[in-house]
Amino acid sequence: MMGLFDSIAGSVIGKIAGNSDNPMLQAGLELMNKCGGPQGILEKLRESGLGAEVESWLGSGSNLPLSLSQVLQVFGSALLQPLAAKLSLSPEDLAAKLAEYLPQAIDKLSPEGELPSSQAELMARAFSLLKE
């Protein structure tokens, strides 16, 4: 089941990033897996004092930005270093890319203001994004 979810999530991230061969696909999926899925990522961000940013991505208004330093603070080098190494990037370059794509991905997956509560619902939403 997780393989199918990874494939669908990768397609959505690729559509958001504008390139299906984007190495950020794998990094985004691995980050989600290590943090407990999209909800886990949002929880980590909220626990780090970024609740206003998270709420802006979930809401229908404009998205507040996420900075390189915020990504480094929230996810830390222990999590980012191995992902960056797999992509032949520095942890700072990976963090910069995550800062760019994470708000967009969460925004696209939460049109009603919240992420789906189940993996099946998340997959259904991801499929609908692929049709757009």
Side-chain angles (χ1 to χ4, degrees):
M1 179 73 165
M2 198 57 162
L4 177 61
F5 172 72
D6 287 350
S7 173
I8 294 165
S11 298
V12 171
I13 294 169
K15 181 171 180 157
I16 292 166
N19 177 357
S20 61
D21 295 325
N22 192 312
M24 287 305 297
L25 295 179
Q26 194 59 39
L29 292 173
E30 285 194 40
L31 185 66
M32 274 193 251
N33 286 338
K34 290 182 186 297
C35 293
Q39 292 288 0
I41 288 176
L42 294 186
E43 209 45 50
K44 276 184 92 59
L45 290 161
R46 285 182 178 118
E47 288 170 1
S48 297
L50 299 172
E53 286 80 356
V54 168
E55 295 312 312
S56 77
W57 310 334
L58 294 173
S60 59
S62 61
N63 294 332
L64 291 175
L66 188 60
S67 72
L68 166 71
S69 62
Q70 289 169 322
V71 171
L72 290 170
Q73 171 200 341
V74 171
F75 299 107
S77 61
L79 185 58
L80 295 177
Q81 185 74 38
L83 291 176
K86 284 184 181 180
L87 299 170
S88 301
L89 295 172
S90 71
E92 291 78 18
D93 287 343
L94 175 60
K97 291 181 182 302
L98 287 170
E100 180 182 348
Y101 293 123
L102 199 53
Q104 295 175 53
I106 299 299
D107 185 53
K108 295 281 188 194
L109 290 171
S110 61
E112 286 93 39
E114 60 184 52
L115 285 175
S117 57
S118 70
Q119 199 170 46
E121 193 180 338
L122 184 63
M123 289 172 64
R125 189 159 304 160
F127 272 129
S128 71
L129 284 173
L130 292 174
K131 292 178 188 173
E132 289 179 5

